[in-house]
Amino acid sequence: MKTTPWNRKDLLGIQDLSPAEINFILDTATAFKQVGQRTIKKVPSLRGKTMVNLFVEPSTRTRTSFELAAKRLSADVINIDTSASSLVKGETLKDTALNLQALKADIITIRHSAAGAPHFLASRLKASVVNAGDGAHEHPTQALLDAFTIWEKKGKIAGLRVTILGDILYSRVARSNIWLLTKLGAHVTLAGPSTLVPRTFEQLGCRVTHNIDDALDGADVINLLRIQHERQRRSAFPSIGEYTAVFGLNKERFARTKSDALIMHPGPINRGVEIDSEIADCERSVILEQVTNGLAVRMAALFLCAGGA
Amino acid sequence: MNALHIKDGRVIDPANKVDEKRDVFIVDGKIATSAPQAKVIDATGKIVTPGLVDIHVHLREPGRSDKETIETGTLCAARGGFTSVVCMPNTSPTADNTGTIAYIKQRAAAVAHVNVFPTGAITKELKGEELAPIGSLKKAGVVAITDDGHCVQNNDLMRRAVQYAKMFELPVMDHCQDYTLAADGVANEGYWSLVLGLRGWPAIAEDMIVMRNILLAQDTQWQIHCQHISSANAVNLLREAKKRGVPITAEACPHHFTLTDESLKTYDTNCKMNPPLRTDRDRDAILEGLADGTLDCIASDHAPHCTFEKEVEFDHAPFGILGLETELALSMELVRKKVLSLPDLIAKLTHIPAQIVRLKKGTLSAGSDADVTIIDPERKWTYDVGQSASKSRNSPFHGWQLQGKAVATIVGGKMVWQE
């Protein structure tokens, strides 16, 4: 019997995972990606299990991706959106969680504006909890799908130079990517305005620069983050226009990047802000492949956490 | 005649520079020089000190008696060895009017286990907009004014408040926090807030107001007391100001000199307080500040919150923790760490805080109120918050092995707690 390096109930973040665990999810995702290429895109792995998509912060693409991933594994899926939920009527997260437990939900996928909300649920529930993004903390499946995409295209992660550009301070995508990429041996450069890319990030094993040319020079992967208006409660730069002028990936800067550098973005993209519209659609852009790979990675995460093995 | 004879203890009475084995006598609620036919309490192996004084507690009454009441909060104090507490005005209604002060005093007279000294608000409803009736509050019996939990942002208003309070000889206490810098922060801005994705509350938000208060204290030549100092730079600013003779005082809380922001890594809302837990460097600076007198006294900021309020997402939990029952033991750790001598520690828990708010407390001088605490310095115990006298359970120190405990608390000659 093969021993799996995965015995977690929950996927709360990348920070706690070992490289072996990360690689195991990516390997599992490879198998599930093939499912999505078949005529019948469905396997019975989670038949009879119920997944609740608890989205306390609005999201369309991540919720849809989790929903489709669960359905491809034959799980039953319920979506709870913040607008319809009792959370806005004053029910606490604890009570919502206990109600979901009473309904015998097997998996809870949670998106929440408060960092640590998935940990709050995981420590109180028998159900598996999968973090679909918590505040500015982590978004583990995004980092896994980013790594999966890089790995498919480049055949490796270790030794690659990955630049993450944009609003790092308020980004859970950045944090999960930093943990994952550094654990697997990539060299991570963070770039953006000094107000959004504090030097403290160097303590996470990253290089920090505020010079866009320096950040792009020699990068194998360029991951552009969306400028998150909703999380920047105070203005961290003067205007979107100035951001684009100083940090936007325009054609001139793009021309100086390595000829095989991948262009990535977790979406939704702001065309003409952090990325020139044509670059978003160019052949080196893998933005839509990230979306496809997101399904495979989320199937793997749900399958491993919910005891499919 | 009601008399006690506390026998053979090590008496530490820093106000009188006493640290020796001797007896303490109590007659009719006052410290006496002898007490024939008194009931004898054997204090062999124990430390006998003036009753401990905590100038920063939240008793939550009136308004939030589900969190705490004057009765339960003062029982926490008694168990913790405190005989006098100064309670903050962020009650409901706010203690910005004489009626609320009268109510607090009346309730305290009826149910309190220890002496309760109320503070009044600096501004109406703690809004930082208009001065509260400070003169009337003084007449009603407040010992200081503060907008604790809030901070007057308007420098002109704060300056007038200090000038005005000086006329009534009322110290002004301040929760030092610049709102534009602290904004909606929930954790110290630094490595851990970054890793945990929590919004940062930078130390400079405290430093800025500490500096403001130093300048105002100098300008008005009246005492401003900076509450719960948490930042290394603030300690340095205070040290420098005190050297120049600026009339400024400051307190430190046990949680700030015991814990750091690393404690937040499990998102434990019992480690969420305002000001937040900070770094090792800040904690070390607070220890140095206590050692050299920059930080005058220790106070708990006892802040009870219901479990259902704390058992929520970290962002949404209220700030604050219980403190009165663990304060002495956590403070005695400073003696074991050689930060303070035992007499210096006792001074920071007795006559110094009493002097800050001009209470005739904190000494064992003959004729003074017979508030006495008997401490077993060797006693090892485990804090079980489930057994707390508080109505709340919000302590990060639950399950901690502690050393040093009040074994008897005497208020006005009456034993209010003994074990």
Side-chain angles (χ1 to χ4, degrees), chain A residues 15 92-94 112-117 119-120 124 134 136-137 169 175 179 198 200-201 203-204 233-234, chain B residues 180-184 190-200 266-267 308 310-316:
Chain A
Q15 189 189 357
T92 63
L93 184 60
K94 183 189 173 189
H112 201 297
S113 60
H119 308 67
F120 179 95
R124 285 166 176 79
D134 63 326
H137 179 229
L169 181 60
R175 283 171 179 74
W179 294 121
T200 316
F201 275 105
Q203 293 177 49
L204 273 55
R233 320 222 163 186
R234 292 160 273 173
Chain B
T180 59
L181 288 164
D184 52 3
Y191 175 81
W192 284 106
S193 69
L194 190 118
V195 164
L196 295 168
L198 295 171
R199 292 189 301 276
T266 58
Y267 295 100
F308 76 86
K310 277 287 198 181
E311 204 174 4
V312 295
E313 300 87 326
F314 194 89
D315 279 356
H316 303 165

Side-chain angles (χ1 to χ4, degrees), chain B residues 113-372:
Chain B
H113 296 269
V114 306
N115 305 306
V116 173
F117 298 96
T119 54
I122 299 171
T123 65
K124 288 179 186 162
E125 293 176 35
L126 312 177
K127 282 184 175 167
E129 292 166 0
E130 292 174 83
L131 292 181
I134 293 167
S136 305
L137 290 169
K138 165 81 178 186
K139 271 192 197 159
V142 305
V143 296
I145 54 170
T146 174
D147 272 4
D148 182 48
H150 301 262
C151 174
V152 178
Q153 301 293 293
N154 181 323
N155 295 327
D156 174 56
L157 186 66
M158 187 65 174
R159 182 166 178 248
R160 287 173 198 280
V162 180
Q163 287 171 338
Y164 194 78
K166 181 180 185 182
M167 178 168 63
F168 298 104
E169 297 192 346
L170 270 179
V172 180
M173 299 174 148
D174 196 24
H175 177 138
C176 306
Q177 173 182 8
D178 179 283
Y179 286 178
T180 59
L181 288 164
D184 52 3
V186 296
N188 177 52
E189 182 183 295
Y191 175 81
W192 284 106
S193 69
L194 190 118
V195 164
L196 295 168
L198 295 171
R199 292 189 301 276
W201 188 139
I204 194 170
E206 175 170 308
D207 307 338
M208 199 72 85
I209 296 292
V210 167
M211 193 65 230
R212 185 270 308 257
N213 289 345
I214 288 168
L215 293 170
L216 287 180
Q218 185 174 12
D219 175 65
T220 58
Q221 283 301 302
W222 185 242
Q223 179 196 356
I224 299 178
H225 176 74
C226 297
Q227 298 176 292
H228 42 45
I229 290 298
S230 68
S231 136
N233 280 336
V235 175
N236 292 335
L237 292 169
L238 289 164
R239 179 178 293 119
E240 185 275 337
K242 285 186 152 196
K243 269 187 200 150
R244 289 188 288 114
V246 176
I248 195 143
T249 56
E251 72 195 24
C253 299
H255 45 272
H256 289 131
F257 64 67
T258 306
L259 302 172
T260 65
D261 54 357
E262 188 178 355
S263 307
L264 302 182
K265 65 186 176 189
T266 58
Y267 295 100
D268 181 357
T269 57
N270 285 330
C271 292
K272 181 178 176 182
M273 50 280 274
N274 183 359
L277 298 175
R278 300 201 193 272
T279 64
D280 277 329
R281 182 178 155 266
D282 294 296
R283 182 176 58 178
D284 290 348
I286 291 168
L287 295 176
E288 283 170 34
L290 284 166
D292 71 10
T294 300
L295 300 175
D296 301 82
C297 72
I298 293 169
S300 65
D301 193 7
H302 182 80
H305 291 294
C306 299
T307 302
F308 76 86
E309 295 174 300
K310 277 287 198 181
E311 204 174 4
V312 295
E313 300 87 326
F314 194 89
D315 279 356
H316 303 165
F319 294 100
I321 60 165
L322 300 180
L324 282 162
E325 292 173 327
T326 48
E327 184 173 4
L328 175 61
L330 293 168
S331 298
M332 289 185 74
E333 192 62 30
L334 301 178
V335 177
R336 283 186 289 276
K337 281 187 185 161
K338 305 201 184 309
V339 174
L340 289 171
S341 69
L342 190 53
D344 285 346
L345 173 68
I346 298 302
K348 287 182 189 298
L349 289 165
T350 55
H351 77 103
I352 297 176
Q355 275 167 5
I356 287 170
V357 290
R358 291 155 178 73
L359 290 177
K360 290 195 177 77
K361 295 284 184 185
T363 83
L364 295 175
S365 306
S368 58
D369 294 339
D371 297 346
V372 182

